[in-house]
Amino acid sequence: MAPILLWTLVAVVGTAIIWWGSGLLERASERLSAYYQLPDIVQGAIVVAVGSSFPELSTTVISTLLHGEFELGVAAIVGSALFNILVIPALSGLTSRHPLTANRDLVYKEAQFYMIAVAVLTLTFSFAAIYHPSEGSSGVIQGELTPLLALIPIALYGLYLFVQYQDTLEHESDVDASDIRPGREWLRLGLSLLVIVIGVEALVQAALNFGEIFDTPSFLWGITVVAAGTSIPDAFVSVRAARQGRGITSIANVLGSNTFDLLVCIPAGVLIAGGAMVNFSIAAPMMAALTAATVALFLMMRTRMVLSKPECVVLLALYLGFIVWIGAESFGALDWVPHLPPA
């Protein structure tokens, strides 16, 4: 019992550290965006999204480089993406005094580009299994994700940045940024990233030890505990923006953060490690679940360009259903997906 309490405390402390670091990061990101006169959708989709996604990037790098657990990093990214897509918009819509509104740019550019990101990452995983197959346990399809293959999603993110850059060319800001000192804000940004790395390492350690204590794969704890903990920055940023009546920034942060997670965070672990094994038998069902969640959010945003409170409740129910399913698969109560959990 004592080890469980100890590592639960470590996970809570790690989450609190990430929350504190995310507060520093959010303030620095917003002030830098104002200083450089970026439009709301670019601020939400790139500056704030990349900053608040730093915990996920740290998770992939730390779990792969320090612990040799690339699968834990991928599980955390997919779990975080699902949390971002289903839970954060729901919380933002339920706690906001204003309707959580979208616009056509958000629905037809951000959401659809994110769907492309999911498809491209799935294709990258399949290329690893097709062109660099590796023998695993009976019936498992797996392959090596090489640095060259990892460049495919990164190249797509470069295209995403180019599209966003076009928006900045047409934007004229009326914000007074005369009191902003960019040097100090960049320093605060760097400090926040260091704090977040410390919190992420605590979460990864907790996930690994929970796996040993309960004799379950670290995959389960990565897709639940680590994923939720690393999504705290995104949640606070989006909920606060929604309560301030900035629904577009709130949802753009979610979609931009997930785009960065899939196209940069996962390949970063591969590039740093020089390659990683991908269990496609597990990756494909997880990406299917992520696709379904994305389609659900897209359809709900598209109805009158408003995410209503009943729709927010449906999103929360979908996430709860996913967690129950993963838990049942991991503890052997269900066997809908062969080889889940991974050995």
Side-chain angles (χ1 to χ4, degrees):
M1 192 67 181
I4 297 175
L5 292 176
L6 171 63
W7 290 108
T8 299
L9 179 61
V10 170
V12 171
V13 171
T15 302
I17 292 173
I18 292 173
W19 173 79
W20 179 52
S22 72
L24 293 173
L25 185 147
E26 181 190 358
R27 286 193 293 275
S29 297
E30 287 183 350
R31 290 176 68 80
L32 286 171
S33 295
Y35 180 79
Y36 293 112
Q37 301 183 351
L38 300 179
D40 283 350
I41 195 163
V42 174
Q43 176 187 344
I46 294 184
V47 181
V48 177
V50 171
S52 58
S53 287
F54 190 74
E56 287 90 337
L57 177 61
S58 303
T59 300
T60 309
V61 173
I62 289 173
S63 60
T64 303
L65 196 60
L66 299 185
H67 305 288
E69 288 269 356
F70 178 71
E71 206 161 61
L72 170 62
V74 173
I77 295 294
V78 173
S80 175
L82 280 161
F83 188 94
N84 290 352
I85 283 290
L86 297 175
V87 177
I88 294 179
L91 292 179
S92 299
L94 291 173
T95 59
S96 175
R97 296 181 295 272
H98 312 276
L100 195 62
T101 57
N103 62 15
R104 291 187 177 274
D105 272 351
L106 195 62
V107 171
Y108 290 112
K109 187 180 75 173
E110 298 301 325
Q112 292 193 14
F113 200 100
Y114 173 59
M115 290 183 181
I116 294 172
V118 174
V120 166
L121 186 63
T122 305
L123 283 173
T124 303
F125 286 159
S126 67
F127 288 158
I130 293 170
Y131 295 109
H132 303 280
S134 176
E135 287 191 19
S137 55
S138 178
V140 172
I141 302 172
Q142 65 179 22
E144 183 184 2
L145 188 56
T146 64
L148 185 60
L149 287 176
L151 292 177
I152 296 175
I154 291 178
L156 181 63
Y157 193 75
L159 176 61
Y160 176 72
L161 293 179
F162 174 76
V163 171
Q164 297 290 9
Y165 171 70
Q166 299 304 306
D167 284 347
T168 65
L169 298 178
E170 304 167 1
H171 177 69
E172 294 182 5
S173 175
D174 56 358
V175 177
D176 181 14
S178 58
D179 63 332
I180 298 177
R181 296 167 58 186
R184 183 172 63 182
E185 299 306 327
W186 281 111
L187 185 63
R188 178 182 291 169
L189 187 69
L191 174 63
S192 70
L193 298 182
L194 178 62
V195 170
I196 288 172
V197 167
I198 295 171
V200 166
E201 171 61 11
L203 279 179
V204 171
Q205 289 285 356
L208 293 173
N209 281 276
F210 279 140
E212 293 181 4
I213 292 170
F214 293 102
D215 193 27
T216 55
S218 55
F219 172 90
L220 169 64
W221 306 101
I223 208 167
T224 53
V225 175
V226 178
T230 55
S231 292
I232 292 296
D234 292 305
F236 278 98
V237 168
S238 291
V239 169
R240 192 173 292 119
R243 290 179 63 83
Q244 293 171 353
R246 297 184 292 123
I248 292 174
T249 300
S250 175
I251 301 177
N253 169 58
V254 168
L255 296 173
S257 177
N258 275 14
T259 300
F260 183 81
D261 288 350
L262 298 182
L263 299 182
V264 177
C265 293
I266 290 178
V270 177
L271 293 175
I272 289 173
M277 296 305 300
V278 173
N279 185 338
F280 192 69
S281 299
I282 301 299
M286 293 301 99
M287 298 307 287
L290 186 54
T291 300
T294 304
V295 170
L297 178 64
F298 175 81
L299 291 175
M300 291 179 186
M301 285 196 306
R302 184 60 189 87
T303 53
R304 302 182 303 279
M305 296 294 178
V306 174
L307 194 63
S308 66
K309 285 185 170 24
E311 288 171 334
C312 293
V313 173
V314 172
L315 292 177
L316 287 177
L318 289 174
Y319 183 74
L320 179 61
F322 172 78
I323 293 299
V324 169
W325 169 59
I326 284 293
E329 289 276 359
S330 297
F331 288 101
L334 288 177
D335 190 23
W336 291 352
V337 179
H339 314 297
L340 183 66

Short mmCIF file of all heavy atoms in Angstrom, two decimals, residues 11 30 35 55 92 108 181 187 268 274 277 289 322 333:
data_model
loop_
_atom_site.label_atom_id
_atom_site.label_comp_id
_atom_site.label_asym_id
_atom_site.label_seq_id
_atom_site.Cartn_x
_atom_site.Cartn_y
_atom_site.Cartn_z
N ALA A 11 2.95 11.49 -8.63
CA ALA A 11 2.17 11.90 -9.80
C ALA A 11 1.44 13.22 -9.55
O ALA A 11 1.39 14.09 -10.42
CB ALA A 11 1.16 10.80 -10.16
N GLU A 30 1.49 34.55 -24.32
CA GLU A 30 0.50 35.55 -24.68
C GLU A 30 1.14 36.92 -24.90
O GLU A 30 0.79 37.64 -25.83
CB GLU A 30 -0.57 35.64 -23.59
CG GLU A 30 -1.52 34.44 -23.58
CD GLU A 30 -2.61 34.60 -22.54
OE1 GLU A 30 -2.52 35.53 -21.71
OE2 GLU A 30 -3.56 33.80 -22.55
N TYR A 35 3.32 41.09 -28.57
CA TYR A 35 4.47 41.90 -29.00
C TYR A 35 4.73 41.73 -30.49
O TYR A 35 5.03 42.69 -31.20
CB TYR A 35 5.71 41.49 -28.20
CG TYR A 35 6.95 42.27 -28.57
CD1 TYR A 35 7.17 43.56 -28.08
CD2 TYR A 35 7.92 41.72 -29.41
CE1 TYR A 35 8.30 44.28 -28.43
CE2 TYR A 35 9.05 42.43 -29.76
CZ TYR A 35 9.24 43.71 -29.27
OH TYR A 35 10.36 44.43 -29.62
N PRO A 55 5.08 19.64 -22.39
CA PRO A 55 5.09 18.43 -21.55
C PRO A 55 5.04 17.14 -22.38
O PRO A 55 5.73 16.17 -22.05
CB PRO A 55 3.82 18.59 -20.70
CG PRO A 55 3.60 20.05 -20.63
CD PRO A 55 4.05 20.58 -21.97
N SER A 92 -14.19 23.51 -21.30
CA SER A 92 -14.24 24.92 -21.71
C SER A 92 -15.67 25.37 -21.95
O SER A 92 -16.08 26.45 -21.52
CB SER A 92 -13.41 25.13 -22.98
OG SER A 92 -12.05 24.79 -22.77
N TYR A 108 -12.67 24.54 -40.98
CA TYR A 108 -12.24 24.06 -42.29
C TYR A 108 -10.73 24.11 -42.50
O TYR A 108 -10.23 23.53 -43.46
CB TYR A 108 -12.95 24.84 -43.39
CG TYR A 108 -14.41 24.51 -43.46
CD1 TYR A 108 -15.37 25.45 -43.11
CD2 TYR A 108 -14.84 23.25 -43.83
CE1 TYR A 108 -16.72 25.14 -43.17
CE2 TYR A 108 -16.18 22.93 -43.88
CZ TYR A 108 -17.12 23.87 -43.55
OH TYR A 108 -18.44 23.55 -43.59
N ARG A 181 8.46 43.71 -22.55
CA ARG A 181 9.91 43.56 -22.75
C ARG A 181 10.17 42.14 -23.24
O ARG A 181 10.13 41.19 -22.45
CB ARG A 181 10.64 43.84 -21.45
CG ARG A 181 10.48 45.29 -20.97
CD ARG A 181 10.93 45.47 -19.55
NE ARG A 181 12.32 45.10 -19.38
CZ ARG A 181 12.95 45.06 -18.20
NH1 ARG A 181 12.27 45.35 -17.09
NH2 ARG A 181 14.22 44.72 -18.12
N LEU A 187 12.98 34.90 -21.36
CA LEU A 187 13.62 34.29 -20.18
C LEU A 187 12.59 33.54 -19.35
O LEU A 187 12.84 32.42 -18.88
CB LEU A 187 14.29 35.38 -19.34
CG LEU A 187 15.11 34.89 -18.15
CD1 LEU A 187 16.29 34.02 -18.61
CD2 LEU A 187 15.62 36.09 -17.34
N ALA A 268 10.12 13.34 -32.70
CA ALA A 268 11.29 13.83 -31.94
C ALA A 268 11.93 12.70 -31.14
O ALA A 268 13.16 12.59 -31.09
CB ALA A 268 10.87 14.97 -31.01
N GLY A 274 17.42 7.63 -32.52
CA GLY A 274 18.00 7.03 -33.71
C GLY A 274 17.16 5.94 -34.31
O GLY A 274 17.60 5.20 -35.19
N MET A 277 10.96 0.98 -32.28
CA MET A 277 10.04 -0.05 -32.75
C MET A 277 8.60 0.40 -32.55
O MET A 277 8.26 0.96 -31.50
CB MET A 277 10.28 -1.36 -32.00
CG MET A 277 11.65 -1.98 -32.22
SD MET A 277 12.03 -2.25 -33.98
CE MET A 277 10.70 -3.36 -34.41
N ALA A 289 -9.27 5.21 -32.72
CA ALA A 289 -10.01 5.86 -31.64
C ALA A 289 -9.82 7.38 -31.70
O ALA A 289 -10.78 8.15 -31.50
CB ALA A 289 -9.53 5.33 -30.28
N PHE A 322 -13.86 5.62 -23.34
CA PHE A 322 -12.53 5.20 -23.80
C PHE A 322 -11.69 4.70 -22.63
O PHE A 322 -11.03 3.66 -22.72
CB PHE A 322 -11.83 6.37 -24.49
CG PHE A 322 -10.39 6.09 -24.84
CD1 PHE A 322 -10.06 5.31 -25.95
CD2 PHE A 322 -9.36 6.59 -24.05
CE1 PHE A 322 -8.73 5.03 -26.25
CE2 PHE A 322 -8.03 6.32 -24.35
CZ PHE A 322 -7.72 5.54 -25.46
N ALA A 333 -10.49 -7.94 -18.78
CA ALA A 333 -11.94 -8.09 -18.74
C ALA A 333 -12.54 -8.11 -20.15
O ALA A 333 -13.61 -8.68 -20.36
CB ALA A 333 -12.57 -6.96 -17.93
#
